[in-house]
Amino acid sequence: MKTYQAIIFDLFNTLVHWNPEKIPTFLWKKKTLKSTNLITYRELGEYCRLFSFEKYHKVCIEVINEITKKKSEENIEISCVERFKTILLRLHVSEPDTLSQLAKKLASCHMRILANATTASQTPIIELKKLEKEYKLGLLSNFDDAETAHRVLKEKKLGQFFSSIIISDEIGIRKPAPDIFSVALKSLKIEARETLFVGDSWEEDIVGAAKFGIDSVWINPGRTRPEEIRIMHPFKKKIFCIPSIEGLSNLIEQLT
């Protein structure tokens, strides 16, 4: 009998990666910043007259920092649209229809840029093709716009491999919250002890999975020495470490 019956994957920086060269830049206080803020500001059209780009950029940074802190502390997901609504409210755009329409427009622009900045090699497809023959495959990812996550999966030809796809934006909670791992397992009709999680974030993926009773594979390019392949963890779960998704199927074959 196989050690594992199912494998659940993180999406970003595990199966697909961000290409920073595709993020637009602008000059800010003599520094070149990579950000969508200037592009989204221009998407405001006539509403740009209400506030300067300087004011818009400062409020964007302020709100993003607040939301990032709240997400981390409470393990909740706050959608990209809600983020832009908060930004616009701080800038005194409060008429309900205008607020909703502009927030959706800015979120769509922002996410279009991010989606176009993702890259994926053939390696994850090769690995998934090998693994789907023997295991149930699921995907569990933190991302604040589910539509974009599904778009990326479709464009990179990855979505077809998964029996279950859970994006944090769809359920309002994020890894490492136990409830989101529970949702993923229930969708696959599998137990934690029968599951292996594959991800790149130590806290969100590896610690989160371990707390829920799931063994994991940590994708970490910085740990490549043989003695680092297996890591001891206080939650008594097995944690294996490899530098990339390449060779994942061989590792899992050895484990079973």
Side-chain angles (χ1 to χ4, degrees):
M1 183 176 178
K2 297 198 298 290
T3 304
Y4 305 108
Q5 303 297 315
I7 305 168
I8 301 177
F9 291 82
D10 178 42
L11 175 57
F12 297 104
N13 296 322
T14 299
L15 298 174
V16 300
H17 296 269
W18 303 107
N19 182 351
E21 298 304 315
K22 293 188 176 183
I23 302 296
T25 62
F26 61 88
L27 194 63
W28 180 259
K29 295 182 178 179
K30 298 182 179 180
K31 293 183 179 180
T32 300
L33 302 183
K34 290 183 179 294
S35 169
T36 66
N37 286 353
L38 183 58
I39 306 297
T40 55
Y41 177 72
R42 290 170 177 166
E43 283 289 301
L44 289 165
E46 63 179 286
Y47 292 95
C48 287
R49 59 183 168 76
L50 300 177
F51 39 82
S52 67
F53 172 67
E54 180 179 10
K55 178 65 173 176
Y56 175 78
H57 178 62
K58 287 181 177 178
V59 171
C60 284
I61 298 300
E62 176 185 287
V63 170
I64 288 170
N65 288 340
E66 290 174 8
I67 286 178
T68 300
K69 185 173 185 289
K70 188 176 181 66
K71 286 181 176 184
S72 177
E73 291 176 347
E74 302 179 27
N75 292 332
I76 60 172
E77 189 58 270
I78 299 171
S79 74
C80 184
V81 171
E82 287 302 314
R83 184 209 316 169
F84 279 107
K85 280 185 180 179
T86 303
I87 290 168
L88 292 169
L89 283 169
R90 296 271 177 96
L91 294 165
H92 308 294
V93 178
S94 56
E95 196 282 317
D97 287 344
T98 301
L99 177 66
S100 179
Q101 290 172 9
L102 283 179
K104 289 178 181 177
K105 184 178 183 181
L106 298 185
S108 177
C109 174
H110 172 74
M111 284 297 165
R112 184 170 61 252
I113 294 169
L114 292 192
N116 290 338
T118 58
T119 61
S121 67
Q122 284 298 305
T123 300
I125 292 178
I126 292 169
E127 294 296 322
L128 292 171
K129 281 182 177 179
K130 292 177 182 177
L131 293 168
E132 71 170 343
K133 298 173 182 178
E134 298 288 336
Y135 304 92
K136 288 184 178 181
L137 301 185
L139 186 133
L140 174 58
S141 184
N142 285 349
F143 198 62
D144 60 0
D145 190 86
E147 183 178 344
T148 299
H150 286 287
R151 173 190 164 188
V152 169
L153 284 166
K154 182 177 180 180
E155 289 181 351
K156 309 306 183 191
K157 297 180 171 53
L158 295 168
Q160 61 188 309
F161 296 104
F162 301 107
S163 302
S164 167
I165 297 174
I166 307 294
I167 308 297
S168 60
D169 179 45
E170 296 170 319
I171 55 177
I173 53 178
R174 293 169 56 88
K175 296 173 291 181
D179 286 351
I180 198 168
F181 287 95
S182 178
V183 169
L185 292 180
K186 286 179 180 176
S187 68
L188 287 171
K189 299 179 181 178
I190 203 77
E191 300 291 329
R193 58 183 171 78
E194 301 172 310
T195 307
L196 188 67
F197 193 91
V198 181
D200 72 294
S201 168
W202 175 256
E203 290 296 331
E204 294 176 357
D205 297 328
I206 308 308
V207 173
K211 283 183 176 179
F212 202 74
I214 301 173
D215 292 345
S216 59
V217 175
W218 186 22
I219 305 297
N220 186 333
R223 299 176 70 112
T224 57
R225 292 179 297 175
E227 63 269 26
E228 295 179 321
I229 295 300
R230 182 163 177 169
I231 302 166
M232 298 300 294
H233 193 276
F235 293 102
K236 308 298 183 184
K237 298 311 299 178
K238 296 174 183 176
I239 299 172
F240 306 92
C241 184
I242 55 178
S244 73
I245 203 78
E246 186 176 5
L248 176 65
S249 57
N250 289 335
L251 170 65
I252 295 174
E253 184 178 350
Q254 293 172 23
L255 301 181
T256 57

